[in-house]
Amino acid sequence: MKKGNMLYEGKAKKVFETDSPELLIVSYKDDATAFNGLKKGTIAGKGVINNKMSNALMRILQNNGIPTHYVEELNDRDTLVRKVRIVPLEVIVRNVAAGSFAKNYGVTEGVVFPEPTIELTYKNDALGDPLLNEYHALALNLATREELDAIKNYAFRINEILKTFWISRGVTLVDFKLEFGKLPDGSIVLADEISPDTCRLWDSATGKKLDKDRFRRDLGGVEDAYREIMDRLKQKTEAEE
Ligand code: ADP
Ligand code: UDP
């Protein structure tokens, strides 16, 4: 499958048309942004890692019954996906307090929740991705009640699958952001990416941050952390040998 016209250039990826109207190619860049684009930089090798990690995690999710947009990894940076109409919501699942949750609600980072929690933001850069609830999403016509129920259900199932996977690699899945889209038949599938850009991943033993917070917070060792989390992903556990 060859790249056609570029449809869109985002902050972390480019999106291309293909010969098929139902398929797109996403191409992962090394560009990094934070704080709604205010902080900009480059993380060498990030595009390759995010592409491969997202694809590996999407394959695991598919094998566990979660429908995703993933079709085929074409090369280090490019992946063939099913074209969807993105539901303009960022779906954030959290297991441990961190980031904006810790700040907004005055909770110390690292406090483990009694059960996973979910929040929605409106995917709208001009408005700064504001938090909203399901009634707001309905009022704004962003999704139907049935779609919101499907999205929440998938999000919690995805959390259980990914949490279990990362624990087997000695990594705590703190929180992450998902995007869902609609196929032409109206069904909901997981889209976009799952990577250290969109997840908080902490070494379970030391608490070391192995994700984009190293870039956001100028903690140093950004490239090394991306490489380390990719190595962890590839690590086979005894049960898998
Ligand atoms: P942003 O738009 O936030 O800067 P990216 O640089 O990651 O983000 O750009 C990728 C864009 O492609 C995002 O807007 C995302 O919602 C969209 N996208 C992801 N997967 C699909 C898909 N399967 N079909 C259509 N659009 C997609
Ligand atoms: N996240 C994301 N894109 C966004 C906002 C958040 O991928 O536009 C991810 C982020 O990496 C983290 C989780 O969602 O894993 C929760 O982020 P939070 O709300 O704490 O926001 P932040 O601290 O990044 O402002």
Side-chain angles (χ1 to χ4, degrees):
M1 193 62 78
K2 283 206 311 284
K3 280 183 197 165
N5 291 329
M6 187 170 78
L7 279 181
Y8 176 78
E9 175 158 10
K11 297 185 288 282
K13 301 191 282 302
K14 293 179 185 172
V15 181
F16 296 90
E17 287 180 327
T18 67
D19 300 339
S20 161
E22 291 174 3
L23 299 172
L24 297 173
I25 293 172
V26 291
S27 186
Y28 286 73
K29 308 190 287 183
D30 286 350
D31 298 350
T33 63
F35 314 117
N36 202 22
L38 282 179
K39 183 179 168 81
K40 291 194 177 71
T42 312
I43 302 173
K46 171 173 86 81
V48 176
I49 287 171
N50 285 9
N51 182 38
K52 289 177 177 290
M53 182 175 296
S54 189
N55 292 342
L57 296 176
M58 294 251 183
R59 287 191 295 264
I60 291 171
L61 292 172
Q62 278 183 347
N63 290 339
N64 281 277
I66 306 288
T68 84
H69 73 162
Y70 173 76
V71 179
E72 187 190 357
E73 188 168 296
L74 299 175
N75 58 52
D76 275 2
R77 287 181 187 268
D78 298 337
T79 291
L80 192 64
V81 299
R82 291 199 276 179
K83 181 176 184 168
V84 299
R85 265 192 296 139
I86 293 286
V87 177
L89 293 171
E90 301 206 333
V91 180
I92 295 170
V93 183
R94 301 176 186 272
N95 298 303
V96 178
S100 66
F101 188 100
K103 183 164 163 276
N104 291 342
Y105 305 115
V107 186
T108 310
E109 276 213 328
V111 170
V112 180
F113 301 138
E115 57 183 90
T117 186
I118 207 163
E119 70 200 39
L120 303 175
T121 70
Y122 182 14
K123 188 173 155 59
N124 183 318
D125 282 341
L127 298 175
D129 295 343
L131 258 180
L132 45 63
N133 67 32
E134 291 177 46
Y135 297 100
H136 294 138
L138 291 171
L140 292 167
N141 241 323
L142 306 182
T144 64
R145 161 64 41 210
E146 291 70 32
E147 287 162 359
L148 288 172
D149 287 344
I151 285 170
K152 269 189 304 181
N153 193 347
Y154 283 141
F156 281 126
R157 280 167 59 194
I158 290 166
N159 182 44
E160 293 309 315
I161 297 162
L162 295 182
K163 217 166 43 171
T164 305
F165 171 80
W166 281 116
I167 287 170
S168 75
R169 267 67 181 168
V171 171
T172 303
L173 177 61
V174 171
D175 58 29
F176 56 98
K177 183 268 295 178
L178 300 172
E179 291 182 26
F180 292 88
K182 278 199 281 182
L183 290 175
D185 70 2
S187 63
I188 297 279
V189 300
L190 177 66
D192 206 49
E193 67 177 282
I194 312 174
S195 72
D197 274 17
T198 64
C199 301
R200 286 195 170 92
L201 298 159
W202 295 354
D203 182 293
S204 305
T206 64
K208 183 180 174 193
K209 296 184 197 312
L210 300 171
D211 57 58
K212 195 168 140 186
D213 269 349
R214 301 205 77 83
F215 169 78
R216 291 190 190 99
R217 301 179 186 187
D218 295 319
L219 299 176
V222 185
E223 276 91 359
D224 281 348
Y226 274 72
R227 275 194 295 269
E228 186 173 342
I229 195 70
M230 189 64 199
D231 288 344
R232 294 291 190 91
L233 176 115
K234 290 191 285 197
Q235 208 175 71
K236 282 211 166 31
T237 60
E238 263 175 46
E240 293 167 349
E241 304 253 303

